[in-house]
Amino acid sequence: MATVGEEENENGNGFSSIFRRVDYSDVMVDANLPRPQHFDRYQNDTKKYVLACAIFASLNSILLGYDVGVMSGAILFIQEDLNISEVQEEVLVGILSIVSLLGSLAGGKTSDAIGRKWTMALAAILFQTGALIMTLAPSFLVLMIGRLLAGVGIGFGVMIAPVYIAEISPTVARGSLTSFPEIFINLGILLGYISNYGFSGLNSHINWRLMLGVGIVPSVFIGCALFIIPESPRWLVMQNRVEEARLVLLKTIEQQSEVEDRLAEIQMAAGRTNAENYEEKTVWHELLNPNPGVRQMLITGCGIQCVQQVTGIDATVYYSPTIFKDAGLQDKTDILAATVAVGFTKTLFILVAISLIDKVGRKPLLYVSTIGMTSCLLVLSLTLSMLGDGALGIGLAILAVCGNVAFFSVGIGPICWVMTSEIFPLKLRAQASALGAVGNRLSSGLIAMSFLSVSRAITVGGTFFLFSVLSALSVAFVYKCVPETKGKSLEEIEMLFQNDVARQVGEVELQDTTRLMQEDDAEL
């Protein structure tokens, strides 16, 4: 008789299948299990609770998305109001991604020390402070100080949200739920674009301040969320707070009979439940001197984070007004309207990804995404280089940018964070995810800070041809380094990497043995 979990994995129906009606003959009835007449309500309550946790944990991601979106338009008016140079413009745009790596790197240690939940609170406080300083900034220097603070806050938030959601989600819906931060990043980008368009008609001394100031609003909702969401059960186990972890699992697993099995699985993955054994130096020693299995995890996790950014997605979003201006659009209102279309497209297709990620799997979507992005980037490059500024060139440029962000959102955008949050062992997860986020933010910052200079040297079209080449290489990376993790528990994924390394070692040993036997036969 198949268990509920096995049926769900085989059907592959994603998040909606977790909470379907089950056969009561498959459920182990005990004193703690609700009576059958209340069973549907119990399942519905579990679904709502897990969904609420994923949504609230993802709110910090709106801050990153909003900053990316709003800065693309606000920089036009900051340049006019504060009279900054092109180099200062590049630094202002790109420095947030660079400095956010400090927050991501510190986030691993912080989330292990004070918990996943309160690390999210720290991220919101830092960003809110930075956004307030930027809103009131009288000069470029003060604006930079606020941006540095906001960047550190974003670094904390972008690292911890996927980790928290992965640790609290049911296995069959983990892909969909862990993609929520990417949904909120896209929602934030769209809101930033709309804010640009809405405030663009005001005086240039006021409009960009209002654009940046609106970013403070999500922090209020994040504060309220902290009173609703629980701490990660896996972090609680690491702190030897097993009873608290059990209570959280009782709220997030629909079958109470599975709670003890899941709890035992987590404890086994942790190796030991006493938090004193998880010294930071031990964790970093394993990361800096990894065994073959962990090394492969690091290549996959950190590699896919860098691949996500080297294809130029943040440059596309930050500098979409520059792209459209190079294509032939001149009026600022028309340019900002075109960026709104990009934001809508990016947000729409992330919803497509959420509906498919636990049905189709991670790897097929990554292939569609990387191949599609390569094609769109090549079309954009050729359009900007060959078609001039006519109506056809403008239309193709907008279509290519929208296509690029659509393919990004349907695959590597969300799956990058899903993979990083689910492939690492429990005791390494926070710190290793932090390393991946550092690679992501560093790649993003370097590209954002160099885009204008590179474009001046080899043209905007030439820059996007370079991005198309890097995107083509990312297809090979997906083929070689990224395994399929759909339908597997976090603990099973850990064994997947270990077993894969063992298999490769076994194949090498078998080849060596065969070669030696052939040499012996030749000598005889």
Side-chain angles (χ1 to χ4, degrees), residues 354-367:
I354 299 311
S355 67
L356 295 177
I357 190 170
D358 284 315
K359 296 179 182 178
V360 177
R362 282 59 157 162
K363 202 158 183 174
L365 288 180
L366 284 173
Y367 281 132

Side-chain angles (χ1 to χ4, degrees), residues 410-442:
V410 86
I412 199 167
I415 293 174
C416 165
W417 300 104
V418 172
M419 294 293 298
T420 306
S421 64
E422 66 184 6
I423 64 175
F424 294 108
L426 174 57
K427 68 175 181 178
L428 304 180
R429 187 170 298 135
Q431 302 283 25
S433 296
L435 281 179
V438 166
N440 182 282
R441 294 293 85 205
L442 181 61

Side-chain angles (χ1 to χ4, degrees), residues 51-69 157-158 161 165 176-192 218 221-222 225 343 346-348 350-351 354 409 413-414 417:
L51 191 60
C53 289
I55 290 173
F56 285 131
S58 302
L59 288 177
N60 265 315
S61 299
I62 286 185
L63 305 178
L64 171 59
Y66 185 82
D67 181 89
V68 172
V158 78
I165 297 172
S176 298
L177 292 173
T178 311
S179 300
F180 272 36
E182 186 67 20
I183 293 179
F184 280 76
I185 288 175
N186 284 275
L187 179 60
I189 290 173
L190 177 57
L191 292 175
F221 293 99
I222 294 170
K346 202 169 188 298
T347 304
L348 176 63
I350 188 65
L351 299 178
I354 299 311
S409 290
W417 300 104

Side-chain angles (χ1 to χ4, degrees), residues 344-398:
F344 271 111
T345 303
K346 202 169 188 298
T347 304
L348 176 63
F349 278 86
I350 188 65
L351 299 178
V352 175
I354 299 311
S355 67
L356 295 177
I357 190 170
D358 284 315
K359 296 179 182 178
V360 177
R362 282 59 157 162
K363 202 158 183 174
L365 288 180
L366 284 173
Y367 281 132
V368 171
S369 177
T370 50
I371 293 172
M373 288 174 63
T374 301
S375 301
C376 290
L377 287 167
L378 183 59
V379 169
L380 180 59
S381 171
L382 295 175
T383 299
L384 296 176
S385 301
M386 301 173 63
L387 293 184
D389 57 0
L392 178 61
I394 293 172
L396 279 178
I398 294 174

